[in-house]
Amino acid sequence: MKKEIRKFYTIVEETHIEGFKEIDKPVGIAAALAVIKNPYAGTYVEDLNPLIDEYSAYLGEELPRRAMQALGISGEEVEGFGKGALVGLDGEIEHGSGLIHTMKFGNPFRSMCNNAETLLPAAEKRASAGASLDLAIKHKMDPKTRSHHMTFEVTVPDAPRADEIMVAAVVTSSGRAHPRIGSLHKELE
């Protein structure tokens, strides 16, 4: 199997005012997406390992690198992260899940984020070109830090085609603006 990447797409958001109040430090979020050919579209295949072996480790490093670069931050400065896959209509959700729910994808991603410790939250679904995907985000070191629980909506106008998969990585430079609900740690005391 040979990599077939039709395009990379990057989305950056920088929020300065939230809730009608200025933010001390702008909230930066960036998602990097790759639109790849799905070799299993339109057919059932038992062994997904060739797809995983070809793409997972590469995308697990390339996508967070592009997202961090777009925000102008290092892995040390990343505070929150997440991942996702949007599978075209002739594919199975399992094809996208196979790509992102492996250590081959997650370990390079966590490593690039200064050896993050938490599991990457994920979103995956099947849809037609132009559909949106809401990427779940959590703190890279502590999943109970509620200030970093958020989502980021991504879409690529012409992807995924029926025989493609859109794979995404998202990073943040902080948590939500003006967090006020506290940590889950406090409720567990």
Side-chain angles (χ1 to χ4, degrees):
M1 182 176 297
K2 179 179 173 271
K3 280 184 197 64
E4 284 190 58
I5 300 173
R6 182 164 65 88
K7 68 167 62 179
F8 287 101
Y9 197 83
T10 305
I11 303 165
V12 179
E13 176 179 284
E14 188 177 282
T15 303
H16 293 262
I17 298 172
E18 178 69 26
F20 308 99
K21 180 181 176 190
E22 266 192 60
I23 301 167
D24 293 332
K25 175 187 168 197
V27 177
I29 303 175
L33 303 91
V35 179
I36 69 169
K37 178 82 167 169
N38 182 353
Y40 305 141
T43 185
Y44 179 83
V45 175
E46 188 66 35
D47 183 8
L48 301 180
N49 283 310
L51 176 68
I52 294 165
D53 290 343
E54 187 63 36
Y55 287 101
S56 291
Y58 172 73
L59 294 177
E61 187 171 321
E62 182 66 17
L63 294 177
R65 183 188 67 73
R66 286 174 179 261
M68 285 185 270
Q69 189 174 47
L71 273 184
I73 63 173
S74 68
E76 188 173 306
E77 295 168 297
V78 169
E79 289 192 18
F81 60 7
K83 63 186 176 182
L86 186 60
V87 180
L89 294 178
D90 287 346
E92 294 177 58
I93 294 172
E94 189 70 4
H95 300 158
S97 294
L99 289 169
I100 64 172
H101 289 299
T102 67
M103 300 299 259
K104 290 178 181 181
F105 185 91
N107 283 347
F109 196 160
R110 280 185 291 277
S111 178
M112 291 196 71
C113 293
N114 203 37
N115 296 311
E117 295 178 2
T118 62
L119 292 175
L120 288 149
E124 58 266 28
K125 70 179 187 180
R126 180 177 41 237
S128 59
S132 65
L133 184 64
D134 290 341
L135 300 173
I137 299 168
K138 292 206 179 203
H139 194 279
K140 72 176 185 180
M141 300 304 261
D142 183 359
K144 294 178 182 165
T145 302
R146 287 187 177 139
S147 59
H148 289 65
H149 292 194
M150 54 185 151
T151 58
F152 188 62
E153 183 179 21
V154 297
T155 186
V156 176
D158 68 344
R161 294 176 180 161
D163 64 346
E164 292 179 331
I165 304 170
M166 185 177 82
V167 181
V170 62
V171 298
T172 72
S173 63
S174 66
R176 294 186 313 275
H178 317 304
R180 300 182 295 278
I181 61 172
S183 168
L184 179 57
H185 292 287
K186 290 199 181 277
E187 284 187 41
L188 296 174
E189 291 175 351

